[in-house]
Amino acid sequence: MEATTILPILKKKLAFLSGGKDRRSGLILTIPLSSDQTSMEELSATLDYLLSIPSEKCKARGFTVIVDGRKSQWNIVKTVVLMLQNVIPAEVSLVCVVKPDEFWDKKVTHFCFWKEKDRLGFEVILVSANKLTRYIEPCQLTDDFGGSLDYDHSDWLNKRLVFEKFTKESTSLLDELSVINESDKSNAVDKDKSADCALLPSFDPETVLQTGHELLSELQQRRFNGSEGGGVGQGGPAWCPMEEELLAQPQVMKLLDSLREQYTRYQELCRQRNKRTQLDEIHAKVMQVVTWLQGPGSELLKTQQEIGDSMRAAQALQQKHEEIESQHSEWFAVYVELNQQIAALLSAGEEEEVVELKALQQQLSDVCYRQAAQLEGRQNVLQAAQVFHSTTQELSQQLDGLLGMLCADVAPADGASIQQNLKLLEEKLQTVEAGLTSLRQKGALLLEQMCSQPSWSLEETESPAGEQHDNVQHIQAVMEEMQLRKQRCEDMVDVRRLKMLQMVQLFKCEEDALQAVEWLGELLDALLKTHIRLGDDTQETRTMLDKHRKFVDVAQSTYDYGRQLLQATVVLCQSLRCTTRSSGDTLPRLNRVWKQFTVSTEERQQRLELALNFHTAAEKVLQQECVDPESLDEVDSSGKTLLDRLTMPVIFPDGSEQYFGSPSETASAAEGVRDRLLLVEERRLQLQEARLHNDDEGEEEEEEEEEEEVLNGQEARLDVIGEELSEKEDQDEEEEEEAGQKDEDLERATQDC
């Protein structure tokens, strides 16, 4: 019987075992009767439960029953005493009925119990509470009877419930653990998870063990249903009630020992089962990872073998590859976790398990590393493809820019701009060559990456090989196309370079031709402004005539050089198929300046020749003693002719006029001629005087008159010449001013142009 089944009855405290003992070491059973009507059935159930607690050894020593009738009626006490005969007749050795102070009829009661003694089988005595110590020691009585034994029924009941619960749970748990442990020895371990769940015990072993330890600790401290030292206060020894009789502490210790033993075996069994389950789970996860990597994962990579035909296509393939890598990353994370779990199991596994785990670990590592190598190889190919397509795109743009520059018309303003364009063209060509070299390098690297990509070890199909061949052909075709485009641009650059060099030469010829025109203009200007003097004698005049010829030779070479340059420009323009630039501007200017220079040099040479003839004749007549009048007249005539020539301007083919030097410079040149003419006239006079001395004296006067007339005529002639020279000087000054004004107007017009 369990306390839980009659817990409400037990709480009524109809009877109890206080833990006290009589002088025979028999247990004391106390039945406290109350003023209320006591249910005999409940009392019988209580007695049955209480009597089931002690061991048979305790029961053999007999019970001393104390029936507390101080608050009850005699007939109830009698009924209880008679009921003891039916419940525990053999175990009862003495029944002490505690009577009240005013009790029932002594003779009747005493005679009644004495009369029934043989039939009852035990002795019944009536005793007052204060005389109960005659039969039982005070330390074994509760305070209700004047004793010192502590008893708390509620505490006893709670401890009893705990004890019974522990006993029941531990016994059931021991049976279950024993069955589980024995079944593991005889049967193979079932790998199904539902079988593992069926092996779980009904109670938590840890909880039951904890309850047992707490209960044992309580028993060791308070000695179950007893006091820690109830007899000490009475002067007796420390009392440990029910230590042997109830077997509570040894029973709990025995149950705990058995439970720990079975639980240890169960834990080992669970550990083995868990390890087996963990191995099975690891094996399942490994196969799941391997199956996916070798199946869908490999298929995803096998279908991604293209490299794209442009930068955008390569970027799209890269994005797709990143998605594939993301899917693989999840499985690689599982691989890392499994690898850690396997490493932990290897450190504490048995030999068979170690072999199996190492095989699983090796299989998983091989598949994962092979797949990772495929991913890395594919990533390297895509990166190389992007670099290749980027370089191709950049090179194509460079070729387009170079081709656009070559197709554009060349219309530079001068040779410097042509040189700059030529330099830019060369730089672009060098950039294209560098780009093509870089493209070859990137293409070789891409081909190398494709060839070094790990091959598929499982079920290689022809599709990846075909796509690989197509990719190689595409790369080679792109590089060949770029090479052909670059070669075409090089040919066009050669043509453009030749054309631009010819244009540079054309501009150079035109610039040099213009320089020749300027030089001729400067020579003409120097001729008209500085070549004025005619010399004071024959030698000086002849020297000046020689210098003039050299001057003319320099001008002639300059003119010839300009003509050659202009002829070269005509040839270059014909080669360049452009309109002749010099024939419409530079050539007429050159011819015009040259004609003006030719007229001016001829005029200068004629004047020098006239001056040379004049000085030669004058010096001859001045040096000879006998001079013919005709010679003097010839000198006079040549001198006048020279003076007249000095006053005349140079008339150019276009009708314009230009004087040599300024009027003052012309007058200075004419002054030397007039001085020679005066010397010639003086020579003429000397000759006439000598001729007069040889004539008759009669004719002397006539001759003198004639001579005076001649002198007067000469003076008059000299005066006329002086007036003419003065007028000529005034006219030259006016013409010089007009020429200066024209030069200023021409300069302003040139600047405006």
Side-chain angles (χ1 to χ4, degrees):
M1 182 181 297
E2 295 180 358
T4 54
T5 58
I6 58 171
L7 183 60
I9 299 175
L10 292 176
K11 287 182 179 181
K12 294 180 179 181
K13 197 179 178 181
L14 299 178
F16 62 89
L17 290 170
S18 64
K21 298 178 182 179
D22 56 16
R23 289 185 174 88
R24 299 186 311 275
S25 297
L27 295 178
I28 298 175
L29 175 64
T30 304
I31 302 175
L33 297 177
S34 62
S35 59
D36 298 332
Q37 185 68 29
T38 301
S39 174
M40 293 298 108
E41 294 179 357
E42 292 180 354
L43 179 59
S44 176
T46 302
L47 292 175
D48 291 339
Y49 173 74
L50 292 177
L51 293 177
S52 66
I53 295 175
S55 63
E56 295 299 327
K57 184 178 180 180
C58 279
K59 292 179 181 180
R61 288 196 291 266
F63 288 90
T64 295
V65 181
I66 300 175
V67 179
D68 187 3
R70 289 175 295 178
K71 297 180 181 180
S72 182
Q73 299 176 1
W74 165 247
N75 58 349
I76 296 176
V77 173
K78 181 180 178 181
T79 303
V80 171
V81 172
L82 293 176
M83 184 184 67
L84 291 175
Q85 180 186 11
N86 298 325
V87 176
I88 49 174
E91 288 83 359
V92 177
S93 59
L94 175 65
V95 176
C96 296
V97 178
V98 181
K99 63 181 181 178
D101 294 337
E102 294 179 359
F103 196 51
W104 321 280
D105 189 353
K106 294 181 180 180
K107 293 181 179 181
V108 175
T109 56
H110 181 72
F111 174 77
C112 183
F113 285 118
W114 176 82
K115 182 180 177 181
E116 299 291 334
K117 177 179 180 181
D118 295 334
R119 187 174 63 86
L120 291 175
F122 49 81
E123 182 181 2
V124 180
I125 60 174
L126 295 176
V127 63
S128 60
N130 53 2
K131 294 180 180 180
L132 190 59
T133 55
R134 295 178 183 178
Y135 306 97
I136 303 173
E137 296 293 333
C139 63
Q140 302 299 320
L141 294 174
T142 61
D143 57 354
D144 293 335
F145 305 105
S148 60
L149 180 64
D150 290 335
Y151 175 75
D152 186 347
H153 186 72
S154 297
D155 180 67
W156 173 86
L157 184 59
N158 292 332
K159 294 297 186 298
R160 189 64 194 176
L161 291 173
V162 172
F163 173 76
E164 289 184 357
K165 178 182 179 183
F166 168 72
T167 304
K168 177 181 179 181
E169 291 180 355
S170 60
T171 304
S172 175
L173 184 60
L174 282 173
D175 294 339
E176 292 178 359
L177 292 178
S178 178
V179 172
I180 293 173
N181 293 333
E182 292 300 326
S183 64
D184 181 66
K185 293 181 180 179
S186 58
N187 300 325
V189 178
D190 191 356
K191 297 182 180 180
D192 190 12
K193 293 184 179 180
S194 61
D196 290 341
C197 295
L199 292 175
L200 293 177
S202 303
F203 304 100
D204 181 18
E206 295 290 343
T207 303
V208 175
L209 284 172
Q210 182 179 1
T211 303
H213 285 297
E214 292 176 354
L215 179 60
L216 181 61
S217 176
E218 183 70 20
L219 291 174
Q220 290 175 347
Q221 291 178 6
R222 299 190 61 177
R223 305 302 181 187
F224 186 79
N225 270 338
S227 62
E228 295 180 353
V232 177
Q234 304 295 331
W239 187 252
C240 299
M242 297 176 67
E243 180 178 1
E244 294 179 357
E245 290 77 4
L246 300 181
L247 298 178
Q249 181 176 341
Q251 186 178 0
V252 171
M253 294 177 65
K254 183 178 180 181
L255 287 174
L256 285 175
D257 292 339
S258 300
L259 188 59
R260 276 193 293 266
E261 180 183 357
Q262 292 295 333
Y263 183 53
T264 301
R265 293 176 58 189
Y266 174 75
Q267 284 181 321
E268 179 63 22
L269 174 63
C270 290
R271 189 182 68 81
Q272 295 294 334
R273 290 177 178 271
N274 290 335
K275 184 180 293 186
R276 183 70 255 173
T277 302
Q278 191 174 6
L279 286 175
D280 294 341
E281 291 177 355
I282 290 176
H283 184 274
K285 290 182 179 179
V286 168
M287 297 310 299
Q288 187 179 7
V289 173
V290 170
T291 302
W292 190 90
L293 291 179
Q294 292 181 346
S298 298
E299 291 299 326
L300 286 174
L301 282 177
K302 287 180 182 179
T303 57
Q304 298 296 317
Q305 294 296 321
E306 299 179 357
I307 61 172
D309 56 356
S310 63
M311 185 64 183
R312 181 177 299 178
Q315 290 175 349
L317 291 173
Q318 176 65 32
Q319 184 177 1
K320 180 64 177 177
H321 181 72
E322 290 176 357
E323 295 176 358
I324 295 175
E325 280 188 336
S326 178
Q327 296 179 12
H328 279 76
S329 298
E330 299 177 359
W331 292 98
F332 287 154
V334 177
Y335 158 70
V336 172
E337 182 180 357
L338 287 174
N339 203 22
Q340 294 175 352
Q341 294 178 3
I342 292 174
L345 292 176
L346 284 174
S347 61
E350 298 179 359
E351 184 175 357
E352 295 182 358
E353 297 173 352
V354 169
V355 174
E356 182 180 0
L357 287 172
K358 285 186 176 180
L360 285 175
Q361 188 179 36
Q362 186 64 36
Q363 181 184 8
L364 182 62
S365 298
D366 291 343
V367 175
C368 288
Y369 279 120
R370 183 168 58 249
Q371 199 74 0
Q374 292 289 346
L375 286 171
E376 184 179 3
R378 175 61 178 169
Q379 177 66 27
N380 294 335
V381 169
L382 288 177
Q383 290 179 353
Q386 290 187 41
V387 174
F388 175 77
H389 290 308
S390 176
T391 306
T392 303
Q393 184 177 352
E394 184 178 357
L395 178 59
S396 179
Q397 293 175 355
Q398 293 173 355
L399 289 170
D400 292 341
L402 179 59
L403 183 61
M405 184 177 180
L406 292 172
C407 294
D409 293 334
V410 180
D414 51 20
S417 61
I418 292 180
Q419 291 285 359
Q420 185 177 1
N421 290 337
L422 184 59
K423 181 180 179 181
L424 180 61
L425 189 65
E426 296 290 347
E427 290 177 353
K428 284 186 174 293
L429 182 59
Q430 292 178 359
T431 303
V432 168
E433 290 178 352
L436 184 59
T437 302
S438 177
L439 180 64
R440 292 195 187 100
Q441 295 175 353
K442 301 301 187 297
L445 179 60
L446 177 56
L447 291 174
E448 181 181 356
Q449 291 288 348
M450 293 170 59
C451 294
S452 62
Q453 189 174 5
S455 60
W456 298 100
S457 59
L458 298 175
E459 299 181 358
E460 286 195 36
T461 60
E462 296 181 359
S463 178
E467 292 181 358
Q468 186 88 343
H469 181 68
D470 294 341
N471 293 334
V472 173
Q473 287 186 340
H474 173 70
I475 296 170
Q476 294 175 349
V478 169
M479 291 193 292
E480 291 175 358
E481 180 185 0
M482 292 295 119
Q483 177 64 34
L484 292 176
R485 290 182 60 185
K486 184 252 184 184
Q487 187 63 43
R488 288 195 296 268
C489 287
E490 280 186 345
D491 297 339
M492 296 178 68
V493 167
D494 293 338
V495 176
R496 177 56 62 88
R497 185 188 295 112
L498 177 61
K499 183 176 181 180
M500 296 180 76
L501 291 175
Q502 289 178 346
M503 293 187 70
V504 171
Q505 188 176 3
L506 173 62
F507 278 106
K508 182 64 176 175
C509 291
E510 290 182 350
E511 291 176 0
D512 292 345
L514 291 175
Q515 186 66 42
V517 174
E518 292 179 0
W519 287 346
L520 285 177
E522 292 175 357
L523 292 174
L524 176 60
D525 188 60
L527 176 64
L528 293 175
K529 291 183 179 180
T530 61
H531 294 205
I532 301 170
R533 292 182 69 255
L534 300 175
D536 295 334
D537 52 22
T538 302
Q539 185 177 359
E540 185 179 2
T541 302
R542 186 176 285 107
T543 301
M544 295 180 69
L545 187 59
D546 292 338
K547 291 182 178 180
H548 176 70
R549 291 192 182 97
K550 293 180 180 179
F551 181 76
V552 172
D553 291 340
V554 172
Q556 181 67 46
S557 62
T558 302
Y559 172 71
D560 294 340
Y561 177 65
R563 291 282 298 182
Q564 292 174 1
L565 292 173
L566 291 176
Q567 290 176 359
T569 58
V570 172
V571 175
L572 290 173
C573 287
Q574 290 177 354
S575 177
L576 295 172
R577 297 180 182 179
C578 63
T579 305
T580 304
R581 299 162 61 99
S582 60
S583 60
D585 184 16
T586 308
L587 183 60
R589 288 178 59 191
L590 179 64
N591 291 333
R592 182 172 61 254
V593 174
W594 177 247
K595 289 179 181 179
Q596 292 177 354
F597 184 81
T598 303
V599 173
S600 300
T601 55
E602 289 177 355
E603 178 64 25
R604 172 67 175 168
Q605 185 171 358
Q606 290 176 6
R607 290 185 181 188
L608 288 174
E609 290 175 352
L610 287 175
L612 179 61
N613 293 334
F614 169 71
H615 286 301
T616 302
E619 290 176 358
K620 184 178 180 181
V621 296
L622 291 175
Q623 292 176 0
Q624 292 178 355
E625 294 181 358
C626 295
V627 181
D628 295 336
E630 295 178 356
S631 298
L632 294 173
D633 293 339
E634 182 180 353
V635 173
D636 186 52
S637 175
S638 63
K640 291 180 179 179
T641 302
L642 180 57
L643 290 174
D644 291 339
R645 195 65 175 263
L646 290 175
T647 59
M648 295 174 60
V650 180
I651 301 175
F652 296 138
D654 58 356
S656 60
E657 297 179 354
Q658 182 70 36
Y659 289 93
F660 279 93
S662 63
S664 60
E665 292 174 343
T666 303
S668 176
E671 186 66 28
V673 177
R674 282 195 293 272
D675 291 340
R676 277 298 177 96
L677 288 174
L678 290 175
L679 293 176
V680 172
E681 289 300 325
E682 289 178 359
R683 181 62 176 167
R684 183 191 295 278
L685 290 175
Q686 291 177 0
L687 291 175
Q688 287 179 358
E689 288 177 357
R691 199 178 293 116
L692 287 174
H693 284 293
N694 296 330
D695 290 341
D696 297 332
E697 292 178 354
E699 295 176 355
E700 184 176 3
E701 293 179 359
E702 184 178 356
E703 289 177 0
E704 289 178 356
E705 292 177 357
E706 291 177 359
E707 187 177 2
E708 288 179 359
E709 290 178 0
V710 172
L711 291 173
N712 291 332
Q714 290 178 353
E715 291 177 357
R717 193 181 304 113
L718 291 174
D719 293 337
V720 171
I721 291 172
E723 292 177 357
E724 291 178 354
L725 290 175
S726 299
E727 293 177 357
K728 182 63 175 176
E729 290 177 357
D730 295 338
Q731 185 177 359
D732 290 341
E733 290 178 357
E734 293 177 358
E735 291 177 355
E736 186 177 3
E737 292 177 358
E738 292 178 358
Q741 185 65 32
K742 291 181 179 179
D743 291 340
E744 292 178 359
D745 295 340
L746 181 59
E747 289 179 359
R748 283 195 295 271
T750 303
Q751 293 176 356
D752 294 339
C753 294

